[in-house]
Amino acid sequence: MTRTIEGNLDAKGMKFAIVVSRFNSFVTDRLLEGALGALKRTGAIDDDIEVVRTPGAWEIPLVVQTLAEQKRHDAVIALGAVIRGKTPHFDYVAGECCRRLSKIPLKTGVPVAFGILTTNTVEQAIDRAGAKAGNKGFDAALSAIEMVDVLRRLRS
């Protein structure tokens, strides 16, 4: 019989950091609300959640890496919104933020949940932050919880 290892969505006793950018706060504040809602619905308590704000998405990877290296949290949730404009700025910020974040869990062993929206329009960002397309902050928090549990199972 095949053995399957899956994580549970039970955040009791887990510690989380949420790194959220202030830029595009009309979107990122909604992502933060979604992430906090997911954590609390699954058993996390306020004392086990730390929120750190950055100026924008560009700064998120350094803060996430610093937190992950400290090993004070079971997972870090990265939240931001990069919305395409009329210059190539979007490509540089979105691409580098994603690339830099992807390396952190491999280097530190701490899960990093990716809740950085990269959208073409403001409407798409709003839709993904609690409107038509759900809340990607909520989804990122669920991913973080599941990854912590999966890694605990694999490491035990």
Side-chain angles (χ1 to χ4, degrees):
M1 185 165 152
T2 303
R3 181 172 177 232
T4 302
I5 299 170
E6 292 183 281
N8 291 317
L9 294 175
D10 181 0
K12 290 181 192 101
M14 295 179 183
K15 295 188 182 301
F16 299 92
I18 303 173
V19 180
V20 58
S21 68
R22 283 193 311 271
F23 196 77
N24 289 323
S25 62
F26 65 97
V27 174
T28 62
D29 287 348
R30 289 175 164 184
L31 294 173
L32 177 59
E33 288 173 20
L36 290 170
L39 294 175
K40 291 177 183 177
R41 280 189 196 180
T42 56
I45 60 172
D46 287 336
D47 288 345
D48 289 338
I49 305 167
E50 181 176 12
V51 176
V52 180
R53 296 223 181 232
T54 64
W58 180 262
E59 295 81 13
I60 289 174
L62 177 59
V63 173
V64 169
Q65 180 175 316
T66 301
L67 290 165
E69 287 172 345
Q70 292 173 353
K71 308 273 189 192
R72 295 185 298 118
H73 305 93
D74 295 301
V76 182
I77 302 163
L79 304 175
V82 186
I83 303 169
R84 188 177 298 278
K86 295 181 181 182
T87 69
H89 183 260
F90 169 91
D91 298 312
Y92 298 118
V93 173
E96 282 301 305
C97 181
C98 178
R99 187 183 65 77
R100 291 162 49 205
L101 282 173
S102 70
K103 294 179 178 185
I104 296 168
L106 299 175
K107 180 179 174 184
T108 64
V110 175
V112 175
F114 189 79
I116 310 291
L117 300 181
T118 54
T119 63
N120 289 318
T121 66
V122 169
E123 293 77 19
Q124 288 174 342
I126 290 169
D127 284 348
R128 288 164 176 77
K132 296 177 186 175
N135 187 306
K136 300 308 178 188
F138 187 96
D139 295 346
L142 292 181
S143 176
I145 297 162
E146 186 173 352
M147 282 302 297
V148 170
D149 193 55
V150 164
L151 290 173
R152 284 181 176 175
R153 291 168 188 267
L154 291 173
R155 292 172 178 159
S156 65

